[in-house]
Amino acid sequence: MTTAATMQAALSPQDAARQLALTRMKRLAAGLLVLMAVIFTVSFALQDRYPWLGYVRAAAEGGMVGAIADWFAVTALFRYPLGLRIPHTNIIATRKNEIGASLGEFVEANFLAESVVRGKLESVGISRRLGGWLSSSSNAERLTGELATAGRSVLELLNDDAIKNLIESVAREHLVRPEWGPSLGRVGERLVTSGQQHAGVDLLLERADAWLRAHPEAFGRAVSARLPSWLPGFVDKLVDDRAYREVIAFVEGVRAQPQHPVREAIDRYLVELTNDLQHDPVMILRVESLKEGLLNSPRLREFAGETWESVKASLLEALGDPQSAVCTGIRGTLVDVGTRLARDDALGARIDRWLVDSVTALVQNYGHEIAGVITETVERWDSAETSAKIELQVGRDLQFIRINGTIVGSLAGLTIYAVANAVAGLFA
């Protein structure tokens, strides 16, 4: 299949319309040339009988010359006229790479210049426009839907095994490699110093008191099980009741007295424990051994997998429901940000300044590469296809050159013939 046939098959609806308009203009220009040729033939044949036809012949002759010259000029841009390899024809195809390079340089110099980019961005007022757009609930909802769709697509494209490996490696890097003892000791020391352990002790005592009052039989059986079997049953009962009351009273006393010896003993133990966790090599080694036993088990891999699967399922469900807390939060955040940008001139000015500086720096550093995309793209195009593409875009307008050339040539031929006859009449 030829290049022209390939392009014809791949034309978009817009390009198909351009192709139809180009074909019509070519036929009109060619029709004018044929009309000039017919007029010239008739007037040339009859001018001896009707001298005034000499003016018509001159006009038609000039129109033909202008039409042919401009046909040649227009055709030479895109192909070889009549297939003849005349020098300096088929210009676009033969100089495609130079044209691409020149176009890239033109874009870089005139569109990617720092002054142009900075001036345009500063005149736009990006933050205010963006804020006004985002502050509309309908726009925020639409953008939320797009973000949710993009988020779901990203989640579905992610490799689950790779994410699980990442979670496991991060856990090992930040949980397994550092020593636990000193870190736990420092955290514990701050908690004990601020008295945070008291709330935990109160909770334990409260739960112990509640359990004892709710399960007196279980406590009694636990005490009886430790008494000699030869004691009579009523002795077991007395001991159970006595022990139960003593334990209840003891727990109540500890709960009621902030300075109870048990509480002070717990505080001293915690102080010693936090100190040992930070400075005692034996304690640090024991904690490390416990850590290794916990995290080197297969459960760590299972935990990473379960964590990712749970997070992924929750996010997919939330992003798929426009009324979920996640989507509602995104919408609300977008509207809030838009409102602030629209109303807070100081914030908008800072953001605009940051955007202008960032984009300008980007253009300064990568402007040549951005313009180079044009050059590289044109270089990759097929020469014949490039000519066909450009002709499709501008060829219709260029056909007016042929039409204008026909008209101007006719007027020029008529003027020259009339002036020549006038001058000849003066010297006759």
Side-chain angles (χ1 to χ4, degrees), residues 282-294:
V282 176
M283 177 62 74
I284 293 174
L285 183 60
R286 288 176 60 187
V287 174
E288 289 301 299
S289 299
L290 176 62
K291 177 190 72 177
E292 294 293 336
L294 289 174

Side-chain angles (χ1 to χ4, degrees), residues 163-185:
I163 298 298
K164 292 174 184 178
N165 291 334
L166 176 62
I167 294 175
E168 182 180 3
S169 63
V170 169
R172 291 190 180 279
E173 177 69 22
H174 296 283
L175 294 178
V176 178
R177 181 171 296 180
E179 290 184 335
W180 279 14
S183 298
L184 292 174

Side-chain angles (χ1 to χ4, degrees), residues 114-146:
E114 178 186 357
S115 58
V116 175
V117 174
R118 182 176 291 276
K120 181 62 178 177
L121 292 176
E122 289 177 346
S123 66
V124 168
I126 300 173
S127 62
R128 183 173 293 278
R129 289 194 178 188
L130 178 61
W133 190 84
L134 284 177
S135 59
S136 170
S137 57
S138 59
N139 292 333
E141 184 172 358
R142 185 172 67 178
L143 181 56
T144 299
E146 297 294 338

Side-chain angles (χ1 to χ4, degrees), residues 163-326:
I163 298 298
K164 292 174 184 178
N165 291 334
L166 176 62
I167 294 175
E168 182 180 3
S169 63
V170 169
R172 291 190 180 279
E173 177 69 22
H174 296 283
L175 294 178
V176 178
R177 181 171 296 180
E179 290 184 335
W180 279 14
S183 298
L184 292 174
R186 287 189 294 271
V187 173
E189 184 178 23
R190 287 194 292 270
L191 293 176
V192 172
T193 301
S194 62
Q196 298 297 317
Q197 79 280 10
H198 296 155
V201 173
D202 289 339
L203 179 62
L204 290 175
L205 291 171
E206 180 183 345
R207 292 298 179 89
D209 183 71
W211 186 88
L212 287 170
R213 294 181 186 279
H215 304 87
E217 299 83 2
F219 179 84
R221 287 194 300 272
V223 174
S224 300
R226 286 167 174 76
L227 294 176
S229 59
W230 48 266
L231 288 176
F234 73 91
V235 176
D236 291 350
K237 178 63 175 175
L238 291 174
V239 173
D240 291 345
D241 291 343
R242 177 68 178 178
Y244 180 72
R245 288 193 299 271
E246 290 294 333
V247 171
I248 289 291
F250 175 78
V251 173
E252 288 179 346
V254 176
R255 292 183 64 189
Q257 300 178 38
Q259 305 302 325
H260 194 281
V262 171
R263 289 179 177 271
E264 294 177 350
I266 292 174
D267 290 346
R268 287 193 300 272
Y269 170 76
L270 292 176
V271 170
E272 294 174 359
L273 177 62
T274 57
N275 183 71
D276 290 343
L277 286 171
Q278 296 180 75
H279 307 294
D280 185 2
V282 176
M283 177 62 74
I284 293 174
L285 183 60
R286 288 176 60 187
V287 174
E288 289 301 299
S289 299
L290 176 62
K291 177 190 72 177
E292 294 293 336
L294 289 174
L295 298 183
N296 283 337
S297 68
R299 279 297 302 165
L300 181 61
R301 174 70 179 179
E302 295 175 10
F303 169 76
E306 292 169 359
T307 299
W308 168 242
E309 290 171 0
S310 176
V311 170
K312 181 179 179 180
S314 300
L315 285 175
L316 286 173
E317 182 180 359
L319 293 174
D321 180 9
Q323 304 305 320
S324 67
V326 172

Side-chain angles (χ1 to χ4, degrees), residues 13 32 42 106 108 169 175 177 274 278 331 333 337 353 359 389 416:
L32 287 176
V42 173
F106 175 80
E108 181 179 359
S169 63
L175 294 178
R177 181 171 296 180
T274 57
Q278 296 180 75
R331 271 196 306 273
T333 301
V337 170
R353 187 164 54 253
V359 175
K389 284 181 178 180
I416 293 172

Side-chain angles (χ1 to χ4, degrees), residues 112 361-371:
L112 298 179
L362 182 66
V363 169
Q364 284 181 319
N365 294 328
Y366 301 101
H368 184 70
E369 286 75 7
I370 295 172

